[in-house]
Amino acid sequence: MRLLAIDGNSIVNRAFYGIKVLTTKDGRYTNAVYGFMNIFNKLLEDCKPDRVAIAFDVKAPTFRHKMYSQYKAGRKPMPAELKEQIPVLKELLTLLGYKTVEQAGWEADDILGTLSAAMDSNDMCFIATGDRDSLQLVKENTTVLLASTKMGKTVTTEYNPEKIREEYGVTPKQMIEIKALQGDSSDNIPGVAGVGPKTAGELIQKYGSIDYIYDNFDSVELKGKLREKMAAGRESAFSSRELGTIRTDAPIELDMDSYIPASPDRPNAKKLLTSLEMFKMITKFGLDSAEIVGDEEQTEEKEVKILQNLNEAEFDRNKTVGFFAEFDAGEIVKLSVDCGEYIAVIMNDSLAFASQTAEFLSGEFDKITYNSKPLYSWCMTRGINLGGSINDVMLAGYILNPSSNDYSPVRMAQEYGVAAPKLNSEDECAKQASVLVNLWDKLSANLEQNGQTKLFLDIESPLAKVLASMENAGFLVDKESINSYGAVLEQKIASLVQEIYAMSGEEFNINSPKQLGTVLFEKMGLPVKKKTKSGYSTNADVLEELAVNYPIAELVLEYRTLAKLKSTYCDGLLKCIAPDGRIHSTLNQTETRTGRISSTEPNLQNIPVRSEVGRELRKFFIAKEGCVLVDADYSQIELRVLADIADDENMINAFNDNQDIHAITASQVFNMPVEAVTPLMRSRAKAVNFGIVYGIGAFSLAKDIGVTRSEADRYIKGYLRNFSGVDGYMKRVISEAKDNGYVSTLFGRRRYLPELSASNAITRNFGERVARNMPIQGTAADIIKIAMIRVCRRMEDEKLKSRLIMQVHDELIVEAPEDEAETVCRIVKEEMENACDMKVRLTADVHTGRSWYDAKG
């Protein structure tokens, strides 16, 4: 027999504090339940128990409180967002067939102790907990699985008698003797005043128990003040031992067969997990095939027909048709079409597949699909148009829930309560297609209810086509120049390595923080700025501070910069060059919570621009023969958006009068004419301008601009006094976000902020920072998307050969034939500057050049 006994309160607390805030769309907290169930699933896999008991504390005084009124005094109450999850967790465990155990007047520890004591010597008990108190229960047939958090992940350490002897030098039962002396601050068990863990451990290792120590008090070796402390703490030691001893006689069910997991209530367990939006957990606990009753009752049945060609699929072109395409390396390998009465599945195994698929996709009937971008790309490479209206459930799902990481149709059908028909096949492509029509009905209704239909129709939906075009076009690079530059960097890196070795007097692995720390702080004696659990910190902040006085730190910083340029950008870019000589980065539309587009494989948005050596990389991105690059960059778009949203008159006037906003800020903060503002003053005002909306405090600002904290505080207060509209916005937006549960952009894009109602101050502060900056950053992202769509539309309408090839934050890059360059400059500037009607004029700086470096201006 194998019993898994879990300290429910301990593990759920570990889960709650170890995982970021998670909520459902309607604001219910789920991180504790999610974390617990992941740990629980891992325990089931590792222990393979045939009996399971999950013990919980009952909110009532225990016998220990009666013994000692200060027991656990001062412990903070359970946070409300954790408290609300406990009954949900208990309900879920019960639905899954597992028994929860609790007893008024007794703690979960005592329940675990009682269960382990009731086990026969031939049976095995696993106790899962995050509380070291349970180590006293370890014996040959009882193993404690102690959960702890390392690097943000929960890890479990297995404790048997040998492990305890190795780590503590005592037997498991002697662990309580140590506690009797050292006490326990978390439970407010006093122990002996002045005796810490080290002394307590040494005494018990030597004498075995507090009984022996006090029975032989005059003869045991207790030096100096320790004897006085031990004498004064005698009564406290014995009462502390009693308080800390886990009891094994709790009045609970001891028939071990009662802890055999029952058959789960699969439909209701799945329904609860669905309501909690824990869709992967449904799979982990084998509930995928469970048929949910109630709102999602599965009544419809559909046949899956495997067809030889697409023309055999019978669907009504007067109705919206749902279809799902499966891709591999840019090619459609399978197509599933919802034909109403059945799901047609067509494999790409005939010469007619491509032409029939092209005819289907170009058909002028309305379509519902998933991930339209590769469909546009597939059509573009064949010179056809994706016909009819295209409703993409992935993009709709992203708008409605930007925090999700899975927008597949079947997963979203669960999330939105859409019934999936019963199919006679497990074909995944057919499953996805089968829910599209009903899912779109629900998603489109939600978009309308949220006021987000225009965001879908006018921005996200047409943007998919633009991104497909950009990915297909790619960005031409000068391969030979990248190779040459890489060789130059390699030489510089090798030279730096030798300089570092010469200065340190030895060769070592510069990339190893441990070896570098040993050389810098032990051998060379540099002042230690920061230590970590693994040793000395050698991060950039530490090295930058040291570099002022120690040349070796400056060399290491330069080495790291060049090594990253070489490996990430030179070597990395060379691997990504396609046969056409161009880099075709993947542009992701649903990755960020703010609405920004991200770039991967490779990330061209991350090309370094602050250092001259990094800017050199832009020279290798070029226009093809006979063309130039047109580079257009919004000027201070986020500050302009801030001025508009905050309705700050001073800031609006400064922008609309084409004044230098940073100089104006400096003049107002420092109370002097603009003409008297020095470059240093302007620089400091610029830091305030860009930092203020992100909630920058005096401490961070002081560090950023190299002034005292009181000076930084004065700058911030002066800024808010002069830009009162911004001050009002920052207070108003947080208040509104708390009321609504979300913030939104000018175009209705939302970000939900459960963090604002968290009891943890750090989490709340994070939520407030996001509440301030998301409407700004998100609106700027929406504006650049609108500009992209309009620029592409104008160039297409005017039948130009020019192509938009890249978007980097607030910058657009067009590859244009030389004879179209002037026209494209005008189009890009007009469309970017008129993308949004605000109180503040948008301005875009446009330049041309043969390379990205030249065109950047």
Side-chain angles (χ1 to χ4, degrees), residues 106-148:
W106 298 76
E107 295 183 55
D109 280 347
D110 301 309
I111 294 172
L112 301 180
T114 303
L115 288 169
S116 65
M119 299 285 287
D120 289 339
S121 59
N122 294 327
D123 298 327
M124 194 67 202
C125 179
F126 299 93
I127 295 175
T129 181
D131 189 347
R132 288 183 180 271
D133 286 353
S134 293
L135 295 182
Q136 64 186 274
L137 299 174
V138 169
K139 52 189 178 183
E140 290 304 323
N141 73 330
T142 300
T143 297
V144 167
L145 305 171
L146 191 69
S148 59

Side-chain angles (χ1 to χ4, degrees), residues 170 174 177-178 181 200-210:
V170 297
Q174 288 175 322
E177 304 291 336
I178 293 175
L181 296 177
E202 290 172 350
L203 287 173
I204 301 305
Q205 286 172 28
K206 189 171 184 179
Y207 298 114
S209 69
I210 60 171

Side-chain angles (χ1 to χ4, degrees), residues 482-498:
I482 295 176
N483 270 318
S484 299
Y485 185 56
V488 170
L489 287 177
E490 200 163 357
Q491 288 181 340
K492 288 183 178 179
I493 292 166
S495 176
L496 282 169
V497 168
Q498 293 309 311

Side-chain angles (χ1 to χ4, degrees), residues 7 11 23 58 122-123 137 175 184 232 254 285 297 307 380 392 421 455 480 532 560 563 585 608 652 679 729 766 844:
D7 184 339
I11 296 299
T23 65
V58 176
N122 294 327
D123 298 327
L137 299 174
M175 293 295 294
D184 184 345
L254 295 180
F285 284 88
E297 186 174 6
L307 304 181
M380 287 172 188
D392 186 338
L455 176 62
E480 294 307 313
T532 65
R560 285 182 178 175
S585 177
I652 291 169
Y729 160 75
F766 167 79

Side-chain angles (χ1 to χ4, degrees), residues 699-740:
F699 177 81
S700 297
L701 181 62
K703 188 177 178 183
D704 289 348
I705 63 178
V707 298
T708 65
R709 192 170 180 176
S710 60
E711 281 182 283
D713 185 58
R714 192 162 66 249
Y715 296 162
I716 291 172
K717 286 177 179 173
Y719 177 98
L720 295 176
R721 188 167 53 250
N722 286 284
F723 294 107
S724 57
V726 174
D727 188 28
Y729 160 75
M730 292 199 296
K731 293 171 182 172
R732 182 177 70 254
V733 74
I734 291 171
S735 175
E736 290 175 354
K738 286 179 179 177
D739 290 342
N740 298 329

Side-chain angles (χ1 to χ4, degrees), residues 93-278:
L93 291 169
T94 301
L95 289 172
L96 289 170
Y98 298 103
K99 188 167 184 176
T100 60
V101 191
E102 50 192 42
Q103 184 65 48
W106 298 76
E107 295 183 55
D109 280 347
D110 301 309
I111 294 172
L112 301 180
T114 303
L115 288 169
S116 65
M119 299 285 287
D120 289 339
S121 59
N122 294 327
D123 298 327
M124 194 67 202
C125 179
F126 299 93
I127 295 175
T129 181
D131 189 347
R132 288 183 180 271
D133 286 353
S134 293
L135 295 182
Q136 64 186 274
L137 299 174
V138 169
K139 52 189 178 183
E140 290 304 323
N141 73 330
T142 300
T143 297
V144 167
L145 305 171
L146 191 69
S148 59
T149 303
K150 292 181 181 178
M151 305 295 287
K153 292 186 177 180
T154 299
V155 295
T156 302
T157 305
E158 187 174 312
Y159 281 89
N160 53 27
E162 293 74 24
K163 173 71 173 175
I164 290 179
R165 174 70 70 179
E166 174 191 327
E167 192 166 314
Y168 295 97
V170 297
T171 66
K173 286 187 179 299
Q174 288 175 322
M175 293 295 294
I176 193 58
E177 304 291 336
I178 293 175
K179 188 168 185 175
L181 296 177
Q182 75 178 42
D184 184 345
S185 59
S186 67
D187 288 342
N188 202 37
I189 295 176
V192 174
V195 174
K198 184 180 179 183
T199 301
E202 290 172 350
L203 287 173
I204 301 305
Q205 286 172 28
K206 189 171 184 179
Y207 298 114
S209 69
I210 60 171
D211 297 294
Y212 184 90
I213 292 171
Y214 284 110
D215 286 347
N216 301 277
F217 198 71
D218 293 336
S219 60
V220 296
E221 185 180 356
L222 298 169
K223 295 180 180 179
K225 292 185 177 179
L226 179 58
R227 181 171 293 279
E228 297 173 22
K229 293 174 182 175
M230 291 290 290
R234 178 184 183 119
E235 185 179 341
S236 180
F238 282 99
S239 64
S240 294
R241 183 173 68 177
E242 189 174 359
L243 284 170
T245 298
I246 293 175
R247 296 271 291 270
T248 58
D249 58 344
I252 60 170
E253 177 61 67
L254 295 180
D255 179 1
M256 290 299 154
D257 285 351
S258 69
Y259 299 107
I260 297 173
S263 297
D265 182 346
R266 299 176 76 249
N268 283 316
K270 182 177 181 180
K271 189 172 185 178
L272 179 55
L273 285 168
T274 298
S275 75
L276 297 172
E277 297 170 16
M278 295 183 188

